[in-house]
Amino acid sequence: MKNKTNSKRLATFFITVIVLAALVLSTYKNIANNLSLGLDLQGGFEILYEVEPLNENDQLDMSAVSQSVSKRVDVLGVSEPQIIIEGDNRIRVQLAGVTNPEDARKMISTTANLTFRDINDNLLADASIIEEGKASLAYENGQPVVSLKIKDATAFGDITEKVANMGTGNNIMVIWLDYEEGDSYLAELAKVQQGQEAKYISAASVNERISGDCVIKGSFTDEEARTLANLINSGSLPVKMTEISSNVVSAEFGIDAFNKTVVAGAVGIALVILFMLLMYRLPGLVASIMLVVYIWVIFGIYNLIGAVFTLPGIAALVLGVGMTVDANIITFERIKDELYQGRSIQKACEEGMKTSFITIFDAQFTTLLAGLIMYVLGNGTVKGFATMLIITVVATLLLNVALSHFLLKQLVYSGICDGKYSWFNVNKKNVPDISKKQEQFYFGPIKKNDYVKQSSKFNFVSLAIIVVAIVMMVFNGVNGNGPVNLGIDFSSGTKITVTSNEPITIAEVQEEFEKLGYTSGMNYQASGDNNVYVTTTKSIDTESLSLIKDVFNEKYGIEPNDNIVTPTVGKELVKNAITLSIIAWLAMLLYITIRFKWDYALGCIVALLHDVLIVVSFFAIFRFEFNTELISVILAIIGYSINNSIVVFDRVRSNVSEYDGKFNANSYKVIVNDALDNTIIRSIFSSITTIMPMVALLILGSHSIFTFTCAMIVGLLAGTYSSIYLAPYVWYLLRCNVKPKAKKPGKKYKEDVDEYTIKGINA
């Protein structure tokens, strides 16, 4: 009967794995082909507009504006455009894959209010006189013109007759696009006579009544005439749209970034799988299966919800790989702890899974809080990062509980693992024989260590780093460089990324800019051998920007990327960054206080503050650019650091509840040191599995996320360190100065009979 049960369990395991493998292999190509890639991975552009009504007394209907913009985007033929309403008067347009950003920009933001006027600028008719959607490119005497279908022939005949009767020299009908109060045909005509471009689009003499269709003539190219026809067909926008931020990424730059990041991510994931197999053997195999399914699920969910992959999003995915494996590490370490107490493999797995779940839930839920706050209050890059983080946490909880535990149970309860401690990377010599009343004598590879005593020394190093950063900030401020290197996201201005297939230097890029007249106020920074970032606090106008891009495109064969941010947006980003961090801290403080106690929560918050200060200090010391990606890093580190601290505090809380002696400074010290002895391996392994993919991204990934990846690695190291030497130390200091409440004596733990390992029966 036992063998039959074994066969069923094993069959269930292998059938499950085969079904999962079949699902992954049969769908991954379809998922890969349908991925929506962001601007930074395939090129394109993003513009943030501030929307105002044409008339002051009019109410804004952002839904109508979104529909109007969508109609215009459809004309461009862009697949899967992103049109996002932000707040009461802003709209963000993201068009991946666009090859001509300037034409797209003109198409989207031009109001396209078509009017017919006389020489004195008196209104004769508006666009209602023509048939909607019937403007088209045509040719007259071989020249491109725009043909208009007249809807009301009688009304059109009346206005043309009126113009014809105005007399020679005055019988001119002027067609305007976006006429504004104060515009003048005569003033614009004077510009034309001086060789400048007029604001009106056509001016034609009318000698007689015209009751048929009409054409718009001008010095059009085919493309200009087609664009004008498309604008007229899309209808006039009911609002004025002012560009306050833009980001243009060349296709070559995006594809290169995507390829490098995918390779780096694959290498990082492979390293994690190898590590888990070496450290945990059979459970490591289960974790590897879970990891493959996890990645498949993440990509599948992104496809289903139509989310867009960005570089920070992929970095969040790679970070998520480490964090979801961390959930397995917590379980596997708990199982090993149970084995070292002399439990059977089946009982050890059962207890390990049960006791680890609440720790995993608390740790992941706090990360979820950070992700939700980022998603609700963030925008752009931050929102994309948050989306991936939220999906990661949900998938981790579901797959760890539903899949990892299920697969491991099938193997363990089949009986094939009985007595095979080496399959769990446990030496049988370290397992006590409780049938002989042996007690636990092995507590892991880490020897007893006084972490509390060491904490003050380690924390001094952190303080020294922060002091050095402050000194550097003061020094740079005095020298006029600014305390920190604020990116245009926060300071406003223009950032141009010059890229070449061959190595380029700052000197040659600077020389080209100086030739164009940009001799001051420009900051140059190299990123690798093939990229130079050029930033200025001024917002370079579209025409000048187009000239710059043409020059470097001709010189290096790759069109530069550009990013423009106005002062309004810069100030708001700074405000939002501070708000995001404070709200995330308060939410976590509240949750940990509810789940644990206030002193645990305070220890976590101090550790979080430390981690943020270390990351900011790193940016300040090395003069890395402060931008929106830094906010993503800080919020991700908040989630990760909390994750680590909660695992430690879960053991601390357990030790406190089981302690029967009198509480004093020494007993609290023993409690903290014992908790850290039991969790130190998990902390180290968790850091390794999380940092390995980030190191792969740093070495092999795109230069676009080099700063982001560096900051993540620094933050991860700081988070690991603070969860060991800072958060528990703060708790220890608080407990030493708080009088504990009297505790009722707890029941002693009694071993169940089925936990005994009896040679020849269950061993």
Side-chain angles (χ1 to χ4, degrees):
M1 199 67 171
K2 183 179 177 182
N3 291 334
K4 188 176 180 181
T5 304
N6 288 351
S7 299
K8 284 184 177 180
R9 292 280 190 177
L10 285 175
T12 301
F13 173 83
F14 286 112
I15 289 171
T16 304
V17 173
I18 290 169
V19 169
L20 290 172
L23 282 172
V24 173
L25 292 173
S26 63
T27 59
Y28 83 93
K29 283 187 178 179
N30 185 51
I31 291 174
N33 292 334
N34 291 314
L35 284 179
S36 297
L37 301 180
L39 308 179
D40 48 6
L41 295 177
Q42 65 166 313
F45 85 119
E46 174 186 74
I47 301 182
L48 179 63
Y49 290 105
E50 192 164 72
V51 184
E52 300 174 273
L54 292 176
N55 300 310
E56 290 184 10
N57 297 327
D58 291 348
Q59 290 286 329
L60 271 179
D61 184 350
M62 292 302 293
S63 178
V65 174
S66 177
Q67 291 175 10
S68 296
V69 171
S70 181
K71 281 177 65 177
R72 296 192 171 193
V73 170
D74 288 342
V75 172
L76 296 170
V78 179
S79 62
E80 299 182 9
Q82 301 289 316
I83 301 170
I84 306 161
I85 296 173
E86 296 185 358
D88 297 328
N89 66 335
R90 289 190 181 172
I91 190 164
R92 185 181 298 273
V93 182
Q94 298 174 333
L95 304 177
V98 168
T99 55
N100 195 327
E102 296 312 316
D103 285 351
R105 179 184 266 120
K106 183 177 180 181
M107 174 65 73
I108 292 170
S109 60
T110 301
T111 305
N113 184 19
L114 189 73
T115 55
F116 298 82
R117 297 176 182 270
D118 63 21
I119 192 172
N120 299 315
D121 308 317
N122 296 312
L123 178 65
L124 300 172
D126 58 22
S128 63
I129 204 170
I130 64 175
E131 289 191 27
E132 187 177 344
K134 295 294 185 179
S136 62
L137 169 65
Y139 293 90
E140 190 174 276
N141 299 323
Q143 294 298 313
V145 296
V146 177
S147 174
L148 302 177
K149 294 287 184 182
I150 300 301
K151 181 169 64 176
D152 190 338
T154 301
F156 191 70
D158 290 343
I159 65 171
T160 53
E161 184 177 2
K162 179 180 178 182
V163 172
N165 292 332
M166 292 180 71
T168 304
N170 293 324
N171 59 334
I172 296 174
M173 186 166 69
V174 188
I175 301 177
W176 292 81
L177 200 65
D178 298 339
Y179 176 90
E180 294 180 1
E181 194 68 35
D183 286 342
S184 165
Y185 164 72
L186 296 177
E188 294 300 316
L189 180 61
K191 290 181 182 180
V192 173
Q193 292 169 347
Q194 295 174 7
Q196 299 178 33
E197 188 176 346
K199 186 175 179 181
Y200 60 83
I201 58 175
S202 180
S205 298
V206 180
N207 297 315
E208 59 185 12
R209 181 185 180 93
I210 302 172
S211 298
D213 296 333
C214 74
V215 296
I216 301 175
K217 298 179 182 179
S219 301
F220 300 134
T221 64
D222 284 8
E223 190 61 36
E224 288 170 340
R226 186 178 290 107
T227 299
L228 178 57
N230 287 333
L231 274 172
I232 294 171
N233 286 335
S234 67
S236 63
L237 279 173
V239 294
K240 178 183 178 183
M241 292 170 58
T242 304
E243 183 179 315
I244 58 175
S245 174
S246 69
N247 183 27
V248 179
V249 181
S250 70
E252 296 92 339
F253 190 87
I255 292 169
D256 178 65
F258 176 69
N259 291 337
K260 286 182 177 178
T261 305
V262 168
V263 170
V267 170
I269 291 167
L271 289 173
V272 171
I273 290 175
L274 180 62
F275 179 85
M276 292 299 289
L277 290 172
L278 289 173
M279 292 297 105
Y280 293 105
R281 311 287 173 81
L282 183 65
L285 175 63
V286 171
S288 300
I289 294 170
M290 183 278 300
L291 186 54
V292 172
V293 176
Y294 161 81
I295 295 168
W296 174 71
V297 166
I298 294 295
F299 279 97
I301 291 174
Y302 252 59
N303 263 2
L304 288 173
I305 66 175
V308 178
F309 269 100
T310 62
L311 280 174
I314 290 179
L317 171 63
V318 176
L319 173 65
V321 167
M323 293 179 69
T324 196
V325 168
D326 174 50
N328 284 127
I329 290 175
I330 294 172
T331 300
F332 300 161
E333 286 298 320
R334 284 282 193 174
I335 290 172
K336 290 173 75 172
D337 287 346
E338 299 295 330
L339 291 174
Y340 291 140
Q341 292 179 35
R343 301 184 192 276
S344 67
I345 288 178
Q346 288 189 17
K347 193 64 179 179
C349 287
E350 183 182 326
E351 288 296 319
M353 291 175 190
K354 185 168 66 176
T355 56
S356 64
F357 174 73
I358 193 62
T359 305
I360 293 168
F361 180 84
D362 284 337
Q364 294 293 329
F365 189 78
T366 49
T367 303
L368 180 63
L369 281 177
L372 289 171
I373 290 165
M374 276 191 276
Y375 185 83
V376 173
L377 300 178
N379 54 43
T381 300
V382 174
K383 193 178 285 286
F385 186 91
T387 302
M388 179 60 76
L389 204 59
I390 291 168
I391 294 173
T392 291
V393 172
V394 174
T396 295
L397 288 172
L398 292 177
L399 291 177
N400 185 271
V401 174
L403 184 60
S404 292
H405 288 192
F406 173 78
L407 291 177
L408 191 55
K409 280 181 178 179
Q410 301 313 306
L411 291 173
V412 169
Y413 290 132
S414 73
I416 65 168
C417 302
D418 289 350
K420 296 181 175 64
Y421 297 99
S422 61
W423 288 14
F424 293 78
N425 201 19
V426 170
N427 191 329
K428 191 174 181 179
K429 293 179 180 178
N430 296 325
V431 177
D433 186 347
I434 57 178
S435 66
K436 297 179 180 178
K437 301 194 180 297
Q438 289 184 353
E439 293 185 356
Q440 182 176 356
F441 56 85
Y442 181 78
F443 296 89
I446 302 298
K447 296 180 180 179
K448 294 290 182 181
N449 195 17
D450 193 345
Y451 301 95
V452 173
K453 184 177 181 181
Q454 297 167 353
S455 291
S456 56
K457 297 177 183 178
F458 278 98
N459 293 331
F460 178 78
V461 175
S462 291
L463 183 62
I465 292 172
I466 295 169
V467 169
V468 169
I470 293 172
V471 171
M472 290 285 289
M473 290 165 69
V474 172
F475 177 79
N476 286 316
V478 170
N479 281 275
N481 295 322
V484 293
N485 179 18
L486 281 179
I488 64 165
D489 292 339
F490 294 146
S491 64
S492 76
T494 304
K495 178 179 180 179
I496 301 169
T497 304
V498 179
T499 305
S500 171
N501 291 320
E502 303 294 331
I504 55 175
T505 63
I506 289 177
E508 59 186 278
V509 172
Q510 184 174 354
E511 183 181 351
E512 290 296 330
F513 270 94
E514 289 176 350
K515 287 180 183 177
L516 292 168
Y518 299 95
T519 55
S520 61
M522 310 295 284
N523 181 48
Y524 301 87
Q525 182 181 1
S527 177
D529 296 328
N530 305 89
N531 300 286
V532 173
Y533 297 133
V534 184
T535 55
T536 174
T537 55
K538 299 178 181 178
S539 295
I540 300 176
D541 62 78
T542 304
E543 188 176 338
S544 300
L545 198 58
S546 181
L547 176 60
I548 291 170
K549 293 168 82 169
D550 287 342
V551 168
F552 283 102
N553 190 16
E554 184 177 345
K555 185 176 179 66
Y556 297 122
I558 299 177
E559 185 176 288
N561 304 329
D562 67 84
N563 185 203
I564 304 171
V565 179
T566 63
T568 302
V569 176
K571 290 177 182 177
E572 287 184 1
L573 284 171
V574 173
K575 180 182 175 182
N576 289 342
I578 296 171
T579 303
L580 280 172
S581 299
I582 292 174
I583 292 176
W585 286 341
L586 290 175
M588 291 176 181
L589 183 66
L590 178 63
Y591 179 76
I592 298 167
T593 300
I594 294 171
R595 290 290 298 123
F596 291 77
K597 283 186 178 179
W598 69 269
D599 48 359
Y600 293 90
L602 192 58
C604 286
I605 294 302
V606 171
L608 289 181
L609 184 60
H610 161 271
D611 300 339
V612 171
L613 288 175
I614 291 296
V615 173
V616 171
S617 297
F618 173 76
F619 270 65
I621 292 171
F622 292 97
R623 296 292 293 174
F624 280 172
E625 188 179 275
F626 279 68
N627 52 33
T628 51
E629 290 181 357
L630 174 62
I631 307 306
S632 293
V633 172
I634 287 175
L635 288 167
I637 296 307
I638 285 174
Y640 179 81
S641 178
I642 277 283
N643 191 312
N644 271 355
S645 297
I646 282 180
V647 172
V648 173
F649 277 147
D650 184 68
R651 284 299 183 103
V652 170
R653 179 176 59 178
S654 177
N655 288 352
V656 169
S657 65
E658 293 174 1
Y659 190 78
D660 289 329
K662 183 179 180 182
F663 286 110
N664 52 41
N666 187 62
S667 62
Y668 287 129
K669 186 176 183 180
V670 170
I671 286 170
V672 170
N673 286 336
D674 182 61
L676 288 169
D677 275 331
N678 286 313
T679 57
I680 189 71
I681 287 294
R682 174 264 162 202
S683 295
I684 294 172
F685 284 3
S686 172
S687 297
I688 290 172
T689 57
T690 310
I691 290 174
M692 276 197 302
M694 300 309 297
V695 171
L697 279 176
L698 183 69
I699 297 172
L700 302 173
S702 168
H703 286 292
S704 305
I705 53 170
F706 178 82
T707 302
F708 174 89
T709 312
C710 278
M712 282 298 301
I713 292 173
V714 170
L716 292 171
L717 291 171
T720 302
Y721 154 79
S722 66
S723 67
I724 297 171
Y725 289 106
L726 185 56
Y729 186 63
V730 170
W731 179 89
Y732 164 77
L733 293 177
L734 290 171
R735 282 294 169 115
C736 287
N737 293 281
V738 175
K739 186 178 180 181
K741 293 181 180 179
K743 185 168 81 76
K744 294 179 180 180
K747 293 181 180 180
K748 292 280 186 178
Y749 183 83
K750 186 177 180 180
E751 295 282 354
D752 294 331
V753 175
D754 63 354
E755 292 171 9
Y756 284 79
T757 304
I758 303 173
K759 193 171 183 180
I761 297 178
N762 63 354

